[in-house]
Amino acid sequence: MSGVSLQTGSTAQRADVRRWRRYLADERAEAAVYRNLAARRDGEEREILSALAEAEGRHEQHWLELLGDDVGRPQRGSLRTRVLASLAKRFGSVFVLALMQRAEDRSPYADDDDATARMAADERIHGEVVRGLANRGRMRLSGTFRAAVFGANDGLVSNLALIIGISASGADRHFVLLSGIAGLLAGALSMGAGEYVSVRSQRELLTASAPHPEAGRAVADLDVDANELALVYRARGMTETEAQAHAAEVLRGTATTSTAPTDDHEAIGNGMSAAVSSFCFFASGAIIPVLPYLFGLEGWPAIAVAAVLVGIALLGTGAVVGVLSGASPLRRALRQLAIGFGAAAVTYALGLLFGTGSA
């Protein structure tokens, strides 16, 4: 495929060449992301990421052939992709995979006549491959991460609301400060204990749902004609036909007797780690609205500084959740901010109401 000459080409052709060069730079940068991620993985994940890098290399070759003599000097990929490549090289975390998932989902190839249908299909499938890899990481950290995010958010919102409400009632700085510290300790302890009980209960329910370890030994003595083993599989969700067929395979020794569901313990997390994470992150969130009062501020200046600090933190936690969930970080950040400030505004209004009533 021959390239287009910039010297003799029309304005439209020059625009095409600029677009192709941008695509070429992005493909090279995305291949670097996958290579850097693969270098920090092993086994199957390394193979998958290396295959994705090779696919981006094929796309790169397409733009090279289309550009021909107009390749020009190598360009840098988009800032987003270059940052991802740097993060992948240094950390290789699930955050990078989640961001790459969004990047693959936003590929422009489906609407570009200069990209082949195969390339557009590749990008769609790449998005699903990266989604699967990102989900593995999400499963590994979901229990502790959920407790951390919820703990930090609850600490930010609840203590800001508490401090604003008490300040609006006319209380002095020392009383507001003591109330904020008490709210921090009480909330952190409550969150930690509640998270521990919640995770432990979920794990115990999963354990209770697993097949009894002695059940498999009874298979050899079952009545083949009655085939009561099929009832086990029907109780676990199979249709009668599927249960009969699977039970027959088990009795013939061609299938496993295990009917255990997939192990969800990892996704739920460990009770103690979730409790510690929830306690620490609640405390780290709850201390932020207290900081102005610790440094001697009071009244409206203290409320304003606390609101700004909490707002920044809410935007941060919302953006992190957005990145990990593969959604828009900005949208999640703004949603978190609106919810947090909405709760604080309601509490402030109640503080004004009770403060006025007691005057």
Side-chain angles (χ1 to χ4, degrees):
M1 186 180 296
S2 60
V4 179
S5 173
L6 282 176
Q7 286 74 25
T8 61
S10 65
T11 302
Q13 288 173 329
R14 289 195 294 271
D16 287 340
V17 169
R18 286 194 296 271
R19 189 175 74 258
W20 299 342
R21 286 177 174 173
R22 186 173 67 251
Y23 287 159
L24 175 62
D26 285 343
E27 291 291 357
R28 287 172 170 170
E30 288 176 7
V33 172
Y34 290 130
R35 284 195 297 269
N36 290 338
L37 286 171
R40 302 184 66 86
R41 298 292 201 279
D42 51 29
E44 184 182 39
E45 288 192 12
R46 178 191 287 265
E47 295 176 4
I48 293 172
L49 289 164
S50 297
L52 289 175
E54 291 177 8
E56 301 296 350
R58 292 194 299 271
H59 296 177
E60 174 188 340
Q61 188 61 35
H62 171 81
W63 300 118
L64 283 171
E65 293 175 359
L66 201 59
L67 283 163
D69 296 333
D70 290 320
V71 172
R73 297 176 59 185
Q75 295 186 4
R76 306 176 76 183
S78 66
L79 177 61
R80 170 184 52 79
T81 310
R82 285 187 282 118
V83 169
L84 286 177
S86 178
L87 291 174
K89 186 175 183 178
R90 288 166 175 76
F91 304 107
S93 69
V94 64
F95 290 93
V96 179
L97 286 169
L99 287 169
M100 282 304 298
Q101 173 189 323
R102 283 182 52 79
E104 296 287 5
D105 289 342
R106 293 196 303 263
S107 171
Y109 289 170
D111 301 318
D112 195 313
D113 293 336
D114 295 319
T116 66
R118 179 174 295 179
M119 291 169 63
D122 282 350
E123 295 298 316
R124 285 195 293 270
I125 296 304
H126 290 178
E128 294 306 308
V129 174
V130 176
R131 190 190 310 276
L133 293 175
N135 284 342
R136 292 185 182 187
R138 292 183 183 112
M139 290 289 287
R140 285 193 288 266
L141 59 79
S142 60
T144 303
F145 177 77
R146 174 180 58 84
V149 170
F150 289 168
N153 189 68
D154 284 353
L156 288 165
V157 175
S158 63
N159 232 27
L160 176 65
L162 174 66
I163 285 173
I164 288 179
I166 294 176
S167 295
S169 69
D172 62 26
R173 183 182 73 85
H174 295 287
F175 185 77
V176 175
L177 178 59
L178 288 175
S179 298
I181 294 175
L184 183 157
L185 293 174
L189 290 169
S190 175
M191 286 288 295
E195 197 65 38
Y196 178 82
V197 171
S198 173
V199 172
R200 285 290 300 177
S201 298
Q202 291 181 68
R203 293 177 69 88
E204 288 166 0
L205 286 172
L206 283 175
T207 301
S209 301
H212 194 282
E214 299 294 325
R217 301 179 183 178
V219 172
D221 299 322
L222 284 175
D223 185 338
V224 176
D225 295 324
N227 200 1
E228 292 188 6
L229 184 59
L231 298 178
V232 175
Y233 301 115
R234 291 175 65 184
R236 293 189 177 276
M238 290 187 181
T239 66
E240 182 176 0
T241 302
E242 292 171 339
Q244 292 285 355
H246 189 65
E249 292 175 357
V250 171
L251 291 173
R252 288 196 302 268
T254 59
T256 177
T257 60
S258 175
T259 58
T262 56
D263 187 8
D264 293 325
H265 286 71
E266 187 176 19
I268 292 173
N270 176 271
M272 184 56 68
S273 64
V276 171
S277 176
S278 184
F279 177 93
C280 292
F281 277 89
F282 183 98
S284 66
I287 194 65
I288 290 177
V290 178
L291 291 177
Y293 297 91
L294 284 174
F295 286 98
L297 294 179
E298 58 183 324
W300 275 107
I303 292 176
V305 172
V308 169
L309 294 176
V310 169
I312 294 171
L314 286 172
L315 288 172
T317 58
V320 168
V321 172
V323 168
L324 269 184
S325 63
S328 167
L330 178 61
R331 186 174 300 176
R332 293 294 186 274
L334 293 176
R335 184 183 69 178
Q336 203 94 328
L337 182 67
I339 293 173
F341 278 6
V346 171
T347 310
Y348 178 72
L350 292 174
L352 284 176
L353 177 63
F354 288 112
T356 302
S358 61

